[in-house]
Amino acid sequence: MRRSGRAGVDATDVDATAVRRASRVVGVQLTIASGALVVAAIGVAFFFVLDQLRPAELAEKPRPGEHKIYIDTTEAMIAFVVVGVLAVAVAGAASLIITRRAVRPLGRALQMQRTFVQDASHELRTPLAVLDARLQILQRTLPPDDPSSPVVAELRTDARALIDIVDDLLLAAEPVQDAHGDPTSVLAAVDRAADAMRVLAVPRGIDVRLDAPAGHDALVAMPAASLQRCVTALVDNALAHSPDGSTITVAVRVQGRTVTLTVADQGTGIWGIDPRRIFDRFARAPQASAGAAGAGASGTSPTPVRPSFGIGLALVRDIAARSGGSVDVAATSDAGTVLRLTLPTL
């Protein structure tokens, strides 16, 4: 059984605890609701009985064949209270049992999801490590003046990036939410990510600009690879929705104890989906938006855009949350979209 390498917490136990906690919360809420209904029903019944006990009727003698039952008010009140307490107790116990049974499949589904992500990521790590090792051997055997040396170096960098992505997937599958990494320079990670994404932007005539005035660098408690992954995903999302020949601006600003990183594109904005949902897993806007975004300003046919599976931005949110930060849509309109990543500084 796999355990979290950062906190030594069994993921299955954490999931089971979370499910039990959720079932208790829902059970208590159902108990309160059902208890309120029981109290209201018993109260109405009690006042109805009191209303029927008119003193004038008590002095009347029963008619032949008629039978009357006389109820003491105090005893009636005690009886109603006892019945009400028992009804609330039974309703509470039933609510807890039913709720726990209802959420149990959700707990199993969460466990299966974590297991799948962890197993798939572990299976990918080995071939990627082998690929990186072979590229390293090839890089060492090439003479310094070989024209293919820069390409091999870039291939090895890409292989390391894939390994980092797999590591992030493993980290995202862990239940621990307060993990922090070594101090990382924001500008250094942003610059590497922007430079890497220019390879995809140049063929489409898109200019990826870095807007970081002097003094606006900061250290954050996040691994450099994770921060670079966040910036890469944000810029990649901007590329997917930017028209050819446009500009993507990556800005960094430090305000107090937080650093804000924004990625602004000149696309058609977010439409066909609630902007708050774009950070949910597998949430995607209609495919037509990609075609509209890729259309050039001169009306030429759009440049093909890589398909999106709605995972990149979700990982950005997870990585940011583990470091105490957040990501949101700062602005969106037909003039473009601005995504904002906010992180606490050291």
Side-chain angles (χ1 to χ4, degrees), residues 270-284:
I270 301 173
W271 62 278
I273 186 174
D274 188 341
R276 294 172 296 182
R277 291 193 57 241
I278 67 171
F279 299 100
D280 295 341
R281 277 179 171 78
F282 309 115
R284 291 184 295 172

Side-chain angles (χ1 to χ4, degrees), residues 155-320:
L155 286 175
R156 192 181 175 203
T157 301
D158 293 340
R160 294 302 308 173
L162 287 175
I163 294 174
D164 292 336
I165 291 175
V166 171
D167 290 339
D168 280 343
L169 286 174
L170 284 170
L171 189 60
E174 295 291 348
V176 180
Q177 297 296 321
D178 57 351
H180 295 283
D182 297 329
T184 298
S185 168
V186 174
L187 283 184
V190 170
D191 185 65
R192 287 193 297 268
D195 186 65
M197 295 307 294
R198 289 190 181 98
V199 177
L200 301 177
V202 169
R204 295 177 53 193
I206 298 177
D207 182 17
V208 179
R209 298 179 181 176
L210 178 59
D211 178 12
H216 281 265
D217 192 11
L219 296 178
V220 295
M222 177 187 291
S226 296
L227 180 55
Q228 186 174 344
R229 189 72 52 247
C230 290
V231 181
T232 300
L234 293 175
V235 176
D236 185 60
N237 177 78
L239 282 172
H241 298 87
S242 294
D244 295 350
S246 61
T247 300
I248 295 175
T249 303
V250 183
V252 178
R253 297 291 186 273
V254 178
Q255 298 176 343
R257 299 288 298 175
T258 61
V259 56
T260 302
L261 186 148
T262 58
V263 177
D265 62 52
Q266 297 176 340
T268 57
I270 301 173
W271 62 278
I273 186 174
D274 188 341
R276 294 172 296 182
R277 291 193 57 241
I278 67 171
F279 299 100
D280 295 341
R281 277 179 171 78
F282 309 115
R284 291 184 295 172
Q287 281 298 110
S289 62
S298 60
T300 58
S301 59
T303 301
V305 179
R306 298 183 314 282
S308 172
F309 299 99
I311 299 178
L313 294 182
L315 285 178
V316 173
R317 181 185 61 183
D318 292 346
I319 295 172

Side-chain angles (χ1 to χ4, degrees), residues 1-3 111-127 166 169-171 173-174:
M1 184 175 295
R2 186 178 300 110
R3 292 181 177 270
Q111 180 182 350
M112 291 174 61
Q113 176 186 347
R114 291 193 189 279
T115 302
F116 171 77
V117 174
Q118 290 171 339
D119 291 346
S121 300
H122 273 283
E123 290 298 324
L124 287 172
R125 291 183 74 179
T126 299
V166 171
L169 286 174
L170 284 170
L171 189 60
E174 295 291 348

Side-chain angles (χ1 to χ4, degrees), residues 74-86:
T74 303
E75 293 178 352
M77 182 179 296
I78 295 174
F80 278 116
V81 169
V82 172
V83 172
V85 171
L86 291 176

